[in-house]
Amino acid sequence: MRPAGKNTRELVSLLQRMWLIRAFEEKVSALYAARHIVGLLHLGIGQEAVAVGACSLLSRGDYVFGGHRSHGHAIAKGADIGRLLAEIAGRAAGYCRGKGGSMHLAAPDCGFITATGVVGGTIPLALGAAFAAKERKQGRVAVVFFGDGAGQTGAFHESLNIASLWKLPVIFVCENNGYAEFTPLSSHTLVERLSKHAKTYRIPGFVVDGNDVLGVRTAVAKALRGARAGKGPAFVECLTYRLRGHYEGDPAKYRELSELAEWKKKDPIARFARVLKGRKLLSDAEIGAIEGEARALVEKAAEFALSSPWPEAAEVATQVTP
């Protein structure tokens, strides 16, 4: 690796973080196949640039909310991958002592507040965090990640309206991967770009290549400047693609293999590695070492998670508010 400026280290850290997410999710997939993990599992492989590009600009005190495909968002915000994997595996060492699982992650110590299995369910929750931050004059922002399917929910439109009206410091980050579960975008809306909804509510909207981590950073940086300056919300629509089915085991017959092959050519990690190599910041060997380091960290996290005890049956009703 070439020495050493802050900018270089920051760029390299983006690749490291994307590889950590990819390695983590591939390991989770393998553990699921081996039935060390049960239940529904939704992976975001192929969408790493959105989470890393956006979260790389946030402070630890900023708030992040996710959805049902949010392993990457939590890791990008700084969650401990051992505790995260333990949570997904249902072990007591998990962030929610194994009660949340893959779809209901939370790592509040690093600002990843919560995820949910309810499509679009955390969008209004992000408004609550943004409202609190504004009232307390903390300078914090809330960022909420959601998919294109969530853009058809009532809570989405209500939230955009209120966020605009009250000028809340919230960034809506839409990961438009072209499918709402199994349904292509063209079958659930005539609005090709969901950022157009933002303009309806007088919210600044940006459309960006979601497989370009630097492009995501640039768009989110503009959104954050406005939010931190008290100008209210912004909407960033990231055009991306999940390389796996909607859930692990989904045969994904609703999309053409040629479509999948084209998006594999746009893999955000390989693409950014080429950028760094082109700028002579990394060699092939150094890029390979980053992947190796990520996989080693994930193996260590898996050992920790799977050696952790199961929750006690007596805990089933604890930490639950009736």
Side-chain angles (χ1 to χ4, degrees), residues 99 310-318:
K99 296 175 183 174
W310 296 100
E312 296 291 337
E315 294 185 33
V316 69
T318 62

Side-chain angles (χ1 to χ4, degrees), residues 183-201:
T183 307
L185 184 69
S186 59
S187 295
H188 63 80
T189 180
L190 295 178
V191 180
E192 185 180 7
R193 291 287 168 263
L194 299 180
S195 58
K196 289 185 177 179
H197 291 310
K199 293 180 180 177
T200 301
Y201 300 101

Side-chain angles (χ1 to χ4, degrees), residues 10 50 52-58 141 143 171 173 204 206 208 213-229 231-232 234-236 238:
E10 194 168 4
V50 180
V52 171
C55 290
S56 64
L57 297 165
L58 302 179
V141 301
V143 176
I171 311 299
V173 180
F206 307 94
V208 62
V213 67
L214 296 182
V216 173
R217 266 172 67 93
T218 299
V220 173
K222 292 178 184 175
L224 285 171
R225 278 197 292 273
R228 294 198 197 280
K231 295 181 179 178
F235 191 107
V236 181
C238 303

Side-chain angles (χ1 to χ4, degrees), residues 110-127:
C110 69
F112 184 78
I113 305 303
T114 191
T116 180
V118 178
V119 172
T122 52
I123 298 175
L125 300 184
L127 265 63

